[in-house]
Amino acid sequence: MSVSSSDNRPAFTRTDVNLASAGLGARVVSVTDDFFAAADRMLADTEAVFIADKFDDNGKWMDGWESRRRRGPGHDHAVVRLAVAGRISGFDVDTAHFTGNYPPACRIEACHVSGEPDAATVWTELVAMSPLGPSAQHFFACGSDALWSHVRLHIHPDGGVARFRVYGRPELDRDAVGGGEIDLASALSGGRIVAFSNAHYGSYHRLLVPGRGINMGDGWETRRRREPGNDWIIVALGARGTIGRALVDTAHFKGNFPESFSLQGADLGALGGDLRDAVVTSSMFWPELIARTPLAADAEHAIGPEAVASTGPVTHVRLNIYPDGGVSRLRLFGTLAD
């Protein structure tokens, strides 16, 4: 199944990286007010929850950012440093569970600075003043192709936002990398999920993030296969490169890890347009990079250069698992191609 057919959300929410993900390293660097609920909660990777009887010293506990009620002019805003500078494709301002305390409107600006924004920073408006409603996701496309490091979410005049997501493509600093080894599949390098056979459990996009999984829901897991065949997931690498070694981590998958895996790859060049279905079809015939290899429960499996076929640079890989199960992280270490 192509990722694009999984639901009715805008394509950028399924094909691009959430640059405002706390799990990738994004953080709130300033906020006018977060009296009721800390602003950094809105960058969480999990979906917002509502706990009816949970209160703290300031009132009702909410899973997101919530400012106090304004009693004068002005409005609230929060500045988010993106996990990595990138080109933004769209936003999701989610007011989940905020029903009587959501902001009536929002607007979004961005800037590109090496440090943190200050009074002299020039901000560019990417989303003009737009209405918000109660307990709903609000998607906004971004028409700019510029490079951004920070975004500023304005809420008018006050209220709560459960989740704020900034989708886009990380900008890989090739000069900083030089000829060294990087994780070509890392979301911070621009790696992204293109398609998968099944992703019934967990959070499949977490397959490409830094660090080890924190629990069994922190990774890609398929349902139990009840027919012949095997499951798979296709990754577009952050840049065209030659893979030298790999790591497959089954952290926390103990009774549901795959029996084995294999890896295929192809150099598809710079694909334009919506060609995911073509990629899925062609992937059945891609050359094998790593032959079928056994996996164990709750363990990191390091695959050295001797087990990686010398097929030259690739842009896409297909991770096959046999027959089904869960993988927490995939790392593909290599060097950038010219």
Side-chain angles (χ1 to χ4, degrees):
M1 179 180 67
S2 170
V3 178
S4 62
S5 64
S6 60
D7 54 44
N8 294 320
R9 296 176 300 159
F12 61 74
T13 67
R14 301 183 298 272
T15 61
D16 290 355
V17 176
N18 176 17
L19 301 173
S21 160
L24 285 179
R27 57 191 177 89
V28 174
V29 296
S30 67
V31 60
T32 53
D33 184 87
D34 57 356
F35 180 83
F36 284 115
D40 56 6
R41 290 180 195 166
M42 69 177 173
L43 306 185
D45 292 300
T46 56
E47 295 301 319
V49 299
F50 182 78
I51 304 175
D53 57 354
K54 185 172 183 178
F55 292 81
D56 59 25
D57 289 343
N58 289 341
K60 180 69 183 74
W61 183 93
M62 293 296 289
D63 190 8
W65 167 39
E66 186 181 2
S67 66
R68 75 188 78 200
R69 302 188 188 207
R70 280 190 169 263
R71 298 307 189 209
H75 69 280
D76 290 311
H77 65 259
V79 176
V80 177
R81 181 181 184 89
L82 302 178
V84 62
R87 305 183 192 279
I88 297 172
S89 55
F91 304 89
D92 176 12
V93 180
D94 187 355
T95 58
H97 309 299
F98 288 95
T99 55
N101 47 354
Y102 63 93
C106 75
R107 62 189 180 93
I108 303 171
E109 299 173 308
C111 69
H112 185 210
V113 295
S114 57
E116 301 298 354
D118 56 26
T121 298
V122 176
W123 292 88
T124 300
E125 187 174 79
L126 300 183
V127 176
M129 188 80 80
S130 301
L132 297 177
S135 196
Q137 289 179 282
H138 305 81
F139 300 107
F140 305 101
C142 176
S144 170
D145 192 42
L147 190 63
W148 308 107
S149 62
H150 296 72
V151 295
R152 184 161 64 180
L153 172 63
H154 297 264
I155 56 173
H156 294 266
D158 55 37
V161 174
R163 294 292 183 268
F164 180 48
R165 301 180 178 96
V166 181
Y167 294 97
R169 305 284 174 93
E171 183 76 1
L172 182 62
D173 188 343
R174 299 180 73 95
D175 292 335
V177 173
E181 182 185 68
I182 65 168
D183 180 359
L184 294 165
S186 170
L188 290 177
S189 299
R192 55 195 176 86
I193 305 299
V194 174
F196 47 74
S197 58
N198 183 267
H200 188 80
Y201 299 108
S203 300
Y204 67 84
H205 66 278
R206 298 286 296 169
L207 183 71
L208 308 181
V209 306
R212 299 199 72 193
I214 59 174
N215 55 43
M216 204 173 72
D218 189 13
W220 170 49
E221 184 184 0
T222 69
R223 81 292 182 248
R224 299 190 186 210
R225 178 170 280 272
R226 302 306 192 194
E227 65 278 343
N230 67 279
D231 285 312
W232 49 265
I233 193 165
I234 295 175
V235 177
L237 302 180
R240 181 172 178 264
T242 301
I243 297 172
R245 60 188 182 94
L247 186 144
V248 179
D249 190 355
T250 57
H252 304 289
F253 291 103
K254 300 176 180 178
N256 49 353
F257 65 95
E259 179 272 334
S260 57
F261 85 97
S262 68
L263 190 76
Q264 298 168 268
D267 186 355
L268 302 183
L271 292 179
D274 188 358
L275 296 176
R276 285 182 295 276
D277 289 342
V279 171
V280 171
T281 301
S282 69
S283 72
M284 293 186 290
F285 311 104
W286 291 353
E288 189 172 72
L289 296 178
I290 300 175
R292 188 164 174 173
T293 303
L295 292 173
D298 193 24
E300 291 182 296
H301 305 79
I303 310 300
E306 71 284 352
V308 181
S310 300
T311 61
V314 295
T315 59
H316 292 69
V317 297
R318 170 169 155 155
L319 172 65
N320 300 297
I321 57 173
Y322 303 92
D324 55 31
V327 176
S328 177
R329 298 289 189 269
L330 173 67
R331 313 243 185 269
L332 300 173
F333 300 99
T335 55
L336 298 178
D338 293 335

